[in-house]
Amino acid sequence: MARWCAGRPGPKLGRRGILPRLPGMFVLGLLVAGLACAQSPQGVGRLALKEKTLLEKPSPLMGAFYVARTGLEMMTYSARSTDNGRTWTPATPQPDFDSKLPPNYRRSYYPGFVDPVNGNLLSVLFCMDRADIDRNVVEPEETATDSYIRYRVSVDGGKTFLFDEPIIQEGGFTFEHPLEGLYLGKNAIFLGDQGCRPIRTRQGHIIVPTQMTILNDQGELETFGSGWDYYHSLMLIGTWQRDHRLKWQVSEQIKADPDRTVRGLYEPTLAEMPDGRILCVMRGSNGLKKDPDYRLPGRKWYSVSRDGGFHWSRPRPWHYSNGRSFYSPSSMSQIIQHSNGRYYWLGNINATNPRGNANRYPLVIGEIDPETMMLIEESVTIMDTRGEGDPEGLQLSNFYAFEDRETGDIVLPMGRWTPPDNYQWVIYRVATR
């Protein structure tokens, strides 16, 4: 395992905090040296990669989550562990809601969320009910028109679930028209990647961050000339009822500027700050038909809510707390609110302007300043990046990380993806100090 050396001066940055354009692997080397060896200023926690272990098969911790507010019991949707993930026993939650579904209906499970106040376990599912679309086809075009979201609730730590229902906004909405602006068969709502974690607000609401394809004035999918589906982010806001169901409201949409991000704003990840403001960080993109030469800067974008997630500020490029900007490819990210009171962001940062999804390396973790809600540059630590033996198409993305309740480490089990479709399984542990 590589050990990063402390105390070495980082590279000099160009205007706006961006490294100058240099040959690809040399620039990457500068970024690795500069970020990995950065010193944490006073008041900022120090992050350190303590483990990177290559595995022969996926870790049983992939997609695992704790089942209660306290304790070490964990589960996936096929196994349970009572010892913090060291050993596992096969187990399937009951009842089996999916066994009698028509062929090709899709149900994609996301790690469960435990309400930190009442202990209810919420499971949110990404669904598509199209018997005529082969479920082995990855992301068919109908995903943009027929996807929707269901939810389940458990009060016994995920052993059983009380119901399985679609999320429908209160106020006369239906399955076919489940919320304002959504008409199944014309447009769709998504959960995005696994970084789209629910949160509970200080007002007692549960917020599920989502993304939605949008319709133009003719009732057809809007692309704004990009040649790709266009997304806005929005929040599903639930209020607990006595029967453990959630009554759903919907936030205003966080609308992108199609002249600045060609696929919209999507895969939102959330955190509520100590003063009650909610930060939303989203994926954007350059490229496609509107930007074939990749002249638009590739960024992560942010928006802020001051009323518990119902209304949101105009989205802007997310940046460092010192005002410097940084590049980020079109990829998911995740915010973790740690038990130490700090907020950590995991994602990809590039030394030079990305080209759409590429490059999805290095993979970094950094601390968020709760005052500015921006990323603290001095805290950013490289977890992994492209090595000499890795092909150019390496992707360090599509992950779910969690805090280990015994050690406080950030644990990230995932696959290092390389084309055409190969995975090198790995688990990272990051110490938080």
Side-chain angles (χ1 to χ4, degrees):
M1 181 175 68
R3 296 185 180 273
W4 306 113
C5 51
R8 182 184 302 167
K12 293 184 178 180
L13 297 170
R15 294 179 61 191
R16 296 180 297 175
I18 302 302
L19 286 167
R21 291 186 177 273
L22 299 170
M25 288 303 291
F26 181 55
V27 169
L28 182 59
L30 287 177
L31 182 66
V32 169
L35 294 183
C37 301
Q39 299 295 301
S40 298
Q42 186 175 2
V44 176
R46 187 171 180 83
L47 296 164
L49 178 64
K50 61 187 292 188
E51 177 187 337
K52 173 189 171 183
T53 303
L54 300 180
L55 309 171
E56 294 183 356
K57 58 184 179 180
S59 167
L61 291 172
M62 285 189 67
F65 53 94
Y66 292 104
V67 301
R69 289 172 289 178
T70 60
L72 302 179
E73 187 171 0
M74 306 183 77
M75 68 173 282
T76 65
Y77 294 100
S78 61
R80 297 183 73 92
S81 170
T82 59
D83 55 9
N84 207 43
R86 294 180 180 85
T87 60
W88 291 84
T89 301
T92 303
Q94 297 299 315
D96 184 353
F97 292 110
D98 302 339
S99 60
K100 297 182 181 180
L101 289 174
N104 292 325
Y105 275 34
R106 299 177 186 230
R107 298 290 184 268
S108 296
Y109 295 86
Y110 283 60
F113 167 78
V114 175
D115 186 307
V117 176
N118 65 24
N120 289 350
L121 193 160
L122 171 67
S123 176
V124 188
L125 291 80
F126 176 30
C127 308
M128 188 170 78
D129 297 352
R130 288 289 298 267
D132 58 326
I133 306 298
D134 186 351
R135 66 181 302 163
N136 294 313
V137 177
V138 179
E139 295 186 4
E141 62 180 16
E142 290 82 5
T143 303
T145 56
D146 290 81
S147 298
Y148 71 101
I149 299 173
R150 304 181 75 89
Y151 80 108
R152 302 171 182 177
V153 173
S154 172
V155 295
D156 62 2
K159 296 182 176 68
T160 63
F161 284 87
L162 301 176
F163 53 83
D164 169 71
E165 295 178 354
I167 292 181
I168 298 176
Q169 182 180 352
E170 66 171 337
F173 290 87
T174 65
F175 178 78
E176 292 78 15
H177 179 32
L179 54 92
E180 188 69 35
L182 178 61
Y183 301 86
L184 287 186
K186 292 186 175 183
N187 64 330
I189 190 168
F190 304 78
L191 283 169
D193 217 302
Q194 293 185 89
C196 300
R197 300 285 295 147
I199 65 169
R200 179 181 171 121
T201 70
R202 59 176 55 191
Q203 298 172 351
H205 296 131
I206 303 299
I207 301 184
V208 179
T210 68
Q211 65 203 46
M212 189 170 75
T213 51
I214 58 175
L215 300 175
N216 60 23
D217 293 339
Q218 289 73 45
E220 300 174 342
L221 283 178
E222 179 64 84
T223 67
F224 294 108
S226 68
W228 196 265
D229 307 326
Y230 205 84
Y231 306 98
H232 288 166
S233 290
L234 74 160
M235 311 301 154
L236 305 178
I237 303 175
T239 304
W240 288 113
Q241 307 299 293
R242 290 184 178 181
D243 62 359
H244 304 294
R245 284 173 167 81
L246 287 157
K247 182 173 66 176
W248 294 100
Q249 302 175 74
V250 179
S251 76
E252 67 177 359
Q253 296 179 17
I254 304 177
K255 297 182 179 181
D257 181 346
D259 291 328
R260 301 183 71 187
T261 172
V262 301
R263 282 185 271 179
L265 296 174
Y266 53 120
E267 297 181 355
T269 183
L270 303 177
E272 186 178 45
M273 298 294 113
D275 63 3
R277 292 175 300 164
I278 300 175
L279 169 67
C280 176
V281 175
M282 296 159 286
R283 170 182 174 182
S285 183
N286 60 7
L288 298 178
K289 291 182 179 179
K290 291 193 70 174
D291 182 35
D293 297 322
Y294 301 96
R295 296 184 181 276
L296 290 174
R299 308 291 192 202
K300 288 294 183 284
W301 293 74
Y302 81 99
S303 181
V304 176
S305 174
R306 297 176 180 271
D307 65 356
F310 290 91
H311 299 90
W312 294 86
S313 65
R314 181 166 64 91
R316 300 175 183 273
W318 203 40
H319 54 82
Y320 291 128
S321 59
N322 58 17
R324 298 181 188 269
S325 59
F326 62 84
Y327 291 124
S328 185
S330 188
S331 63
M332 59 83 65
S333 66
Q334 181 182 351
I335 299 175
I336 293 178
Q337 182 175 349
H338 198 277
S339 62
N340 64 11
R342 301 182 186 275
Y343 302 83
Y344 300 110
W345 177 81
L346 297 90
N348 304 118
I349 288 181
N350 294 148
T352 57
N353 197 28
R355 300 172 66 87
N357 293 357
N359 291 313
R360 289 182 170 178
Y361 59 81
L363 172 64
V364 307
I365 182 172
E367 185 177 341
I368 296 171
D369 173 21
E371 294 295 328
T372 64
M373 293 181 288
M374 300 295 110
L375 189 63
I376 301 172
E377 183 175 13
E378 296 85 354
S379 73
V380 175
T381 302
I382 294 212
M383 299 172 64
D384 197 1
T385 192
R386 182 186 172 199
E388 291 184 0
D390 292 319
E392 185 174 352
L394 172 71
Q395 293 192 22
L396 301 176
S397 187
N398 307 111
F399 54 78
Y400 166 67
F402 63 92
E403 178 188 348
D404 186 313
R405 287 184 175 175
E406 284 188 319
T407 64
D409 294 343
I410 301 296
V411 180
L412 175 51
M414 61 177 284
R416 305 175 86 250
W417 184 91
T418 56
D421 194 23
N422 304 310
Y423 286 92
Q424 182 182 51
W425 304 108
V426 62
I427 186 166
Y428 311 92
R429 286 183 178 270
V430 177
T432 58
R433 303 173 187 172

